[in-house]
């Protein structure tokens, strides 16, 4: 029996062989820029892209007119697959399923690292792009997602890593500066040392690269603006929006992924936390898109993809509703909105599409040979 994976793998291999030229090593990249927005923390179609049910009116009613809405994207039901946030994110970044492993850590239970190249690595492997122009923006309470900046695949890996903006990374910067600047009382110095070593211990990999100079300058500016105490900067997904806006202004990433996550608080709270979080992401998307539209570097030279990491169960009879870990049909039901340079406008893509198509399609957009991706290239969304 030919499975979907075999089938799409064959397609991707065929496409790579026939239509994608290998860009010359270290060529200059001219675009389009890509902004991949994870409408994350697991969302259902009903509260996001259903016209009646949506809590994301900007995304559904304004932005969808500028692109192609793919309402029927699925996460394949795979043996051993888990429908969750880190897993879905790595499906999006590698164009494969189960392309991760738990590397084990004393400090974290579910630390996943990619075992196949990510889009960031493909991009930096093909083009001369500094690490800060391949950028991940992560939430503060998902340190298990701090490990997506590079995978362990032999031909790629750390030399082609992305940089990451997150509160975790800011704290790494901040405590290192505190110690460097000196002048701390003995107990404050010990506390800063303690904090820094705890933060460093969260990445148990043998080589944990320093944040690059442009990223350190970014944090210096951030610290000057928001101070050290952590009380003045926005929190939760609003923080991710703020980091994305600063990145657009100051770092000009060629590929940026924003990992929104707060709808996931529904695990612990009630449904209103979930719907409010969707509205906050929607407003963040509006701010990010408006910033891209205003900016010379991005205007008319950017492709934007908005897509969830995973869905959520819809069964109201379950004792704990809104879960997503059980590989159910609803937790595998996602969607995508694609817009920007070369993308059709005001269309709905009526075929069922697989989640792995995102990486394959973005690789095609950026002229990369994502040879390990198993997804289909969605050529139908382009003009
Ligand atoms: Zn969750």
């Amino acid at each position: 029996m030919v499975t979907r994976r075999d089938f799409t793998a064959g397609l991707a291999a065929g496409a790579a062989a026939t239509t994608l030229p290998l860009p010359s090593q270290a060529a200059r990249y001219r675009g389009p820029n890509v902004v991949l927005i994870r409408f994350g923390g697991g969302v259902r179609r009903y509260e996001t892209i259903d016209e009646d049910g949506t809590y994301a009116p900007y995304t559904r009613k304004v932005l969808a007119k500028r692109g192609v809405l793919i309402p029927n994207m699925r996460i394949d039901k795979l043996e051993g697959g888990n429908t969750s946030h880190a897993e879905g994110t790595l499906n999006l970044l590698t164009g494969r399923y189960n392309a991760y492993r738990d590397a084990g850590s004393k400090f974290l239970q579910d630390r996943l690292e990619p075992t196949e190249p990510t889009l960031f690595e493909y991009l930096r492997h093909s083009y001369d792009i500094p690490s800060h122009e391949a950028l991940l923006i992560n939430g503060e309470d998902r340190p298990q997602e701090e490990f997506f900046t590079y995978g362990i695949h032999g031909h790629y890996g750390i030399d082609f890593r992305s940089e990451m903006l997150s509160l975790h990374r800011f704290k790494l910067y901040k405590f290192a500066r505190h110690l460097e600047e000196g002048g701390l009382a003995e107990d404050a110095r010990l506390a800063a040392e303690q904090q820094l070593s705890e933060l460093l211990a969260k990445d148990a990999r043998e080589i944990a690269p320093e944040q690059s100079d442009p990223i350190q300058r970014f944090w210096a500016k951030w610290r000057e603006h928001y101070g050290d105490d952590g009380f003045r900067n926005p929190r939760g997904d609003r923080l991710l929006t703020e980091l994305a806006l600063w990145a657009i202004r100051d770092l000009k990433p060629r590929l940026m992924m924003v990992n929104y996550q707060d709808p996931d608080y529904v695990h612990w709270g009630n449904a209103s936390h979930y719907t409010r979080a969707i509205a906050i992401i929607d407003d963040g998307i509006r701010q990010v898109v408006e910033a891209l539209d205003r900016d010379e570097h991005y205007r008319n030279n950017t492709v934007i993809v908005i897509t969830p990491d995973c869905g959520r169960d819809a069964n109201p009879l379950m004792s704990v509703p809104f879960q997503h870990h059980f590989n159910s049909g609803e937790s595998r039901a996602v969607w995508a909105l694609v817009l920007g340079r070369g993308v059709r406008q005001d269309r709905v893509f009526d075929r069922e599409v697989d989640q792995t198509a995102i990486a394959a399609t973005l690789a095609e957009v950026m002229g990369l040979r994502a040879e390990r991706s198993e997804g289909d290239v969605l050529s139908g969304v382009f003009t």
Side-chain angles (χ1 to χ4, degrees):
M1 189 188 119
V2 178
T3 66
R4 172 190 292 276
R5 291 181 74 196
D6 298 333
F7 177 67
T8 55
L11 273 182
T18 54
T19 63
L20 295 175
L22 182 67
S24 62
Q25 194 69 27
R28 235 188 103 204
Y29 188 71
R30 293 174 196 284
N33 308 297
V34 168
V35 177
L36 174 56
I37 297 177
R38 180 181 86 172
F39 207 121
V43 290
R44 305 191 301 196
R45 291 173 183 159
Y46 183 71
E47 291 86 3
T48 49
I49 56 159
D50 184 279
E51 278 188 282
D52 298 323
T54 188
Y55 285 84
Y58 175 77
T59 302
R60 179 62 189 91
K61 292 174 183 176
V62 179
L63 213 51
K65 290 200 171 67
R66 287 175 54 177
V68 179
L69 179 65
I70 305 171
N72 194 12
M73 179 168 277
R74 308 286 307 184
I75 299 173
D76 209 359
K77 187 165 193 168
L78 290 168
E79 199 70 35
N82 185 18
T83 42
S84 195
H85 315 297
E87 291 82 351
T89 306
L90 288 172
N91 299 343
L92 293 169
L93 279 174
T94 62
R96 295 173 71 106
Y97 291 111
N98 295 340
Y100 40 78
R101 68 175 187 187
D102 188 334
S105 160
K106 277 182 286 194
F107 301 91
L108 294 163
Q109 292 304 306
D110 54 350
R111 202 199 99 186
L112 295 183
E113 64 185 353
T115 53
E116 295 286 346
T118 63
L119 274 178
F120 298 108
E121 291 161 78
Y122 286 127
L123 176 65
R124 295 197 59 226
H125 192 261
S126 297
Y127 292 103
D128 181 18
I129 287 181
S131 56
H132 69 273
E133 292 182 17
L135 202 59
L136 265 168
I137 298 189
N138 263 13
E140 61 184 292
D141 59 355
R142 288 198 190 281
Q144 68 269 37
E145 294 180 4
E146 292 287 317
F147 307 101
F148 296 171
T149 55
Y150 64 94
I152 56 165
H153 191 272
H155 298 297
Y156 295 88
I158 193 164
D159 291 344
F160 306 103
R161 71 186 182 279
S162 63
E163 298 280 342
M164 183 177 289
L165 299 178
S166 67
L167 228 47
H168 173 80
R169 302 279 162 147
F170 174 63
K171 288 175 189 164
L172 278 173
Y173 169 83
K174 180 180 80 174
F175 289 118
R177 290 299 80 71
H178 283 184
L179 292 168
E180 202 176 83
E181 286 157 9
L184 295 171
E186 182 64 5
D187 54 344
R189 188 181 61 77
L190 289 172
E193 270 173 10
Q194 173 78 11
Q195 300 254 36
L196 183 60
S197 69
E198 278 171 21
L199 290 165
L200 286 169
K202 288 185 176 177
D203 191 345
R205 292 178 294 191
E206 268 173 43
I207 318 164
E210 281 279 307
Q211 305 190 78
S212 71
D213 289 345
I215 298 292
Q216 304 228 21
R217 286 197 292 276
F218 180 95
W219 289 134
K221 208 166 162 183
W222 181 269
R223 184 183 174 198
E224 205 175 290
H225 187 80
Y226 284 120
D228 276 346
D229 56 27
F231 293 119
R232 278 170 280 173
N233 53 272
R235 306 305 295 263
D237 278 345
R238 289 192 181 92
L239 172 69
L240 272 63
T241 299
E242 188 70 3
L243 287 169
L245 295 173
W246 279 53
I248 289 165
R249 188 190 66 201
D250 293 342
L251 296 171
K252 299 277 180 278
R254 291 301 199 168
L255 170 61
M256 174 168 78
M257 182 177 198
V258 186
N259 282 326
Y260 287 120
Q261 62 178 28
D262 284 351
D264 202 40
Y265 283 116
V266 75
H267 280 304
W268 298 277
N270 55 38
S272 72
H273 293 172
Y274 165 73
T275 50
R276 193 186 326 127
I278 289 173
I280 288 170
I281 294 176
D282 187 51
D283 191 57
I285 290 171
R286 180 188 59 75
Q287 294 180 58
V288 167
V289 171
E290 286 176 3
L292 296 170
D293 285 346
R294 276 195 305 269
D295 192 307
E296 198 69 22
H297 184 79
Y298 292 99
R299 195 187 312 130
N300 304 324
N301 191 23
T302 299
V303 170
I304 302 169
V305 174
I306 301 164
T307 192
D309 41 7
C310 61
R312 255 177 208 288
D313 294 324
N315 185 351
L317 300 177
M318 281 179 68
S319 57
V320 187
F322 292 111
Q323 300 302 307
H324 59 75
H325 288 291
F326 309 118
N327 238 325
S328 64
E330 284 295 324
S331 66
R332 293 184 293 104
V334 287
W335 52 269
L337 175 62
V338 185
L339 63 138
R341 194 177 105 178
V343 180
R344 292 167 183 267
Q345 298 198 6
D346 206 5
R347 299 288 174 99
V348 174
F349 200 78
D350 56 8
R351 282 188 291 127
E352 183 179 308
V353 163
D354 198 87
Q355 191 181 33
T356 53
I358 296 291
T361 302
L362 288 179
E364 172 85 9
V365 160
M366 302 187 93
L368 312 174
R369 187 201 284 271
E371 75 245 13
R372 302 286 301 165
S373 162
E374 295 179 339
D376 292 325
V377 174
L378 300 175
S379 39
V381 307
F382 300 102
T383 53

